[in-house]
Amino acid sequence: MGARAEKANLGPRHRARQAAVQALYQWQLTEQSPERIEEHFIHDHEMHDVDMDYFHHLVLEIPLHHSELDDHIAPHLDRNLADVDPVERAILRLGAFEFEFHPEIPYKVILNEAVELAKTFGAEHGHKYVNAILDKVAARLRAAEISVA
């Protein structure tokens, strides 16, 4: 990865995704309301240089749409979604959410961000699994964009 791409990954939007993955992980495990998790997360974590609007958006909207997102993800899994590592499940949901609801973000950026998040937070080879699944989700949700690329 070039220095420019690496630097971009450390920007406020990337930090928002990092924080959102952690908050979504907590939501999946505790089933607390996203609002409560967001409040506690902000109180308990350093949120310096985080795109707070995007963090808020991800933490509140992904749980709202999780059934629809899961429907996009599940057909491509080799196991039940409940059996996917919770960190990787949070990253898959985040990626599927961005593919569906943020067409202004290029699919390659979403895929790269998800892989980087999986390298940071996931299991040793989790990034390969996340990449393979989200690549298939993108093929369905971003088919027109991919065919032009």
Side-chain angles (χ1 to χ4, degrees):
M1 174 184 313
R4 183 174 179 208
E6 194 171 318
K7 186 175 182 181
N9 281 346
L10 300 177
R13 177 93 20 131
H14 180 75
R15 287 192 170 92
R17 288 182 182 99
Q18 287 180 322
V21 165
Q22 294 173 77
L24 292 167
Y25 172 84
Q26 185 177 344
W27 167 73
Q28 292 172 152
L29 293 183
T30 67
E31 297 182 4
Q32 293 176 328
S33 75
E35 294 83 4
R36 182 179 171 123
I37 288 171
E38 178 187 30
E39 177 184 320
H40 285 277
F41 193 89
I42 291 169
H43 181 265
D44 294 342
H45 293 83
E46 175 61 46
M47 299 298 281
H48 177 69
D49 196 28
V50 171
D51 181 337
M52 292 303 293
D53 289 337
Y54 200 60
F55 169 75
H56 173 79
H57 173 69
L58 293 173
V59 171
L60 297 184
E61 292 296 316
I62 291 172
L64 244 154
H65 297 281
H66 81 275
S67 293
E68 181 181 346
L69 300 173
D70 293 354
D71 288 345
H72 294 308
I73 297 165
H76 308 293
L77 299 176
D78 59 353
R79 62 192 97 154
N80 188 304
L81 186 61
D83 296 331
V84 173
D85 177 87
V87 171
E88 292 163 7
R89 189 177 338 129
I91 295 167
L92 290 170
R93 286 174 168 161
L94 192 153
F97 178 80
E98 288 186 321
F99 285 143
E100 182 165 5
F101 294 103
H102 287 280
E104 76 282 4
I105 304 172
Y107 84 94
K108 287 183 180 181
V109 171
I110 296 168
L111 201 54
N112 182 59
E113 285 287 314
V115 167
E116 292 304 315
L117 290 167
K119 286 179 180 177
T120 301
F121 297 115
E124 185 176 344
H125 296 288
H127 66 282
K128 293 176 185 176
Y129 188 72
V130 165
N131 184 59
I133 300 305
L134 286 180
D135 195 45
K136 293 173 185 170
V137 173
R140 183 169 177 268
L141 293 177
R142 296 288 187 96
E145 180 183 354
I146 292 169
S147 70
V148 175

